Amino acid sequence: MVEIVVSNPFVVGKYLSDKYFCDRESETEFLRKQIINGRNVALISPRRLGKSGLIHHLFNQPDICDHYYVFFVDIYATSSLAEFVYLLGKEIYEVLKPLSTVWKEKFFQLIASLRVGFKLDPITGLPGLDLGLGDIHSPETTLDEIFRYLAEADRPCIIAIDEFQQIQTYQEKNVEALLRTKIQQSQTTQFVFAGSKRHIMSNMFSSPAKPFYQSAISMGLEAIPMDTYADFAIRLFEERGKSVEREAIEKVWKLYDGYTWFVQMMMNELFALTPENACCRASMIGEARKNIILSQEGSYKDLLAIVPPKQKTVLQAIAKEGTAKKVTSGAFIKKYNLNSASSVQAAIKLLLKNDIITATDEGYRIYDYFFSDWLATEY
Ligand SMILES: Nc1ncnc2c1ncn2[C@@H]1O[C@H](COP(=O)(O)OP(=O)(O)O)[C@@H](O)[C@H]1O
Ligand SMILES: [Mg+2]
């Protein structure tokens, strides 16, 4: 395997390799066990804790990537079955493209409806798939063909569908039932359904009235334990000839409740701020935090510009509180000059729906910690 070297070892936003990936050993083992034993998995946790990373990590394990074909589709931005089928078809083609197998050669033969996308590269003469969304005329037919194609694979397949709850919002009403039938019929393909909307996901998989009822093993994800993460961060600093105070890492972990993306962002910035051969100290956290917030300010302003005024005042109140309890109480309404309990409730509902805030056991908080910081202190 080619060794990937990056200048900052705190990788954010993508999966590189084992080396830059912290722990998740028991979770990887659990996933592996389900898949190897022919069970599908529903992986449910809040956003940015590490679901997608965990799936890529599993796919990167030698016993998995050497014996299975693995496919990953993120359907967060899709709104119809046509888009779903489009992404799935493209992903399968992209994964198979570099391989030379008899199975690959049958792609356009068995998925006849995607033949419109078949192109020969004018320079290399090699075949490629150049597909537009508009080329999917009958999504159900293409879906049938894709599943028929998968059934002929010369290895078992694993398909991970990220942000799976999205299929509930599709224009077509029967997508869940349709997919469930297809998935149930596939004997050699295992599925991982990942999703961040706990209520919707739980409902899809544990409600007897739903097509996906009992069709997958449910799995949650917690934050990486603080000590484990600290050991990992210390190693990454030391490998690059720098050091870091354990206290600094622990402070960061606690500031962001161990939410992987935010912790990694901060450690990435702290690493960047630490000179060669020097030690990263807890006193640098303030500067790191400020730098990150400044670098994101543009997108925060864009986001705020599309939040209606009534929601904005509630949003700012929540930011000031950090975690807001009893948001419809007289005290809270008075403290932040809000309209009425019912208008607060209406605003909360929309903010939740748009993923701007999240409900925790302790109360509501703004889902993006950096955005929350910015709203509370800079805005
Ligand atoms: N175990 C890990 N070790 C190091 N970084 C991780 C780990 N898990 C996730 N990350 C980082 O956190 C970010 C958010 O994780 P991601 O898997 O995208 O979360 P989710 O899919 O739950 O929203 C990733 O982009 C990655 O940079
Ligand atoms: Mg994800």
Side-chain angles (χ1 to χ4, degrees), residues 46-53 55 72 74 162-163 194-196:
R47 284 165 69 189
R48 301 195 180 183
L49 255 184
K51 291 181 297 300
S52 310
I55 295 170
F72 186 99
D74 180 347
D162 208 359
E163 302 298 352
S196 46

Side-chain angles (χ1 to χ4, degrees), residues 278-310:
C279 177
C280 172
R281 306 204 179 275
S283 57
M284 292 154 70
I285 289 174
E287 188 187 352
R289 198 197 123 243
K290 225 177 167 106
N291 289 350
I292 293 174
I293 290 177
L294 276 177
S295 70
Q296 308 276 332
E297 195 166 31
S299 60
Y300 297 154
K301 285 183 178 162
D302 289 347
L303 174 59
L304 215 51
I306 55 168
V307 175
K310 275 187 191 154

Side-chain angles (χ1 to χ4, degrees), residues 26-132:
S26 60
E27 292 88 344
T28 307
E29 200 37 58
F30 183 87
L31 253 181
R32 168 192 273 127
K33 183 178 161 200
Q34 307 314 317
I35 296 294
I36 287 178
N37 290 290
R39 306 168 197 148
N40 299 326
V41 178
L43 175 58
I44 308 170
S45 87
R47 284 165 69 189
R48 301 195 180 183
L49 255 184
K51 291 181 297 300
S52 310
L54 175 63
I55 295 170
H56 287 297
H57 188 60
L58 174 79
F59 284 2
N60 194 42
Q61 302 301 304
D63 61 329
I64 297 293
C65 57
D66 294 345
H67 297 102
Y68 290 82
Y69 290 118
V70 295
F71 308 104
F72 186 99
V73 271
D74 180 347
I75 62 167
Y76 188 68
T78 60
S79 52
S80 66
L81 184 63
E83 286 176 72
F84 178 93
V85 165
Y86 168 80
L87 286 183
L88 184 59
K90 274 183 87 150
E91 167 67 6
I92 295 173
Y93 191 82
E94 286 307 316
V95 169
L96 298 183
K97 204 163 136 183
L99 312 174
S100 58
T101 66
V102 176
W103 184 50
K104 179 189 128 181
E105 301 309 324
K106 289 196 214 160
F107 186 88
F108 290 110
Q109 189 188 324
L110 290 178
I111 315 181
S113 59
L114 294 186
R115 248 179 246 162
V116 285
F118 177 80
K119 298 272 151 57
L120 283 177
D121 187 301
I123 297 163
T124 61
L126 293 172
L129 178 65
D130 183 7
L131 199 62

Side-chain angles (χ1 to χ4, degrees), residues 242 268-275 284-285 287-289 291:
K242 298 183 182 184
N268 178 292
E269 181 62 22
L270 284 167
F271 182 87
L273 287 174
T274 308
M284 292 154 70
I285 289 174
E287 188 187 352
R289 198 197 123 243
N291 289 350

Side-chain angles (χ1 to χ4, degrees), residues 29 98 128 135 155 181 189 205 217 230 241 346-347 371:
E29 200 37 58
D135 293 329
R155 281 185 191 183
T181 309
T189 303
F205 289 93
I217 306 288
F371 180 46

Side-chain angles (χ1 to χ4, degrees), residues 7-11 19-20 229-246 248-250 252 263-282 284-285 288:
S7 55
N8 191 319
F10 293 91
V11 178
K19 211 173 150 161
Y20 305 108
Y229 185 82
D231 292 342
F232 164 79
I234 289 170
R235 167 173 70 79
L236 292 184
F237 268 79
E238 286 176 351
E239 280 173 3
R240 305 298 171 105
K242 298 183 182 184
S243 61
V244 56
E245 288 178 348
R246 186 170 276 268
I249 307 166
E250 293 180 354
V252 169
V263 174
Q264 282 279 109
M265 279 290 278
M266 280 291 284
M267 293 313 300
N268 178 292
E269 181 62 22
L270 284 167
F271 182 87
L273 287 174
T274 308
E276 295 297 316
N277 304 314
C279 177
C280 172
R281 306 204 179 275
M284 292 154 70
I285 289 174

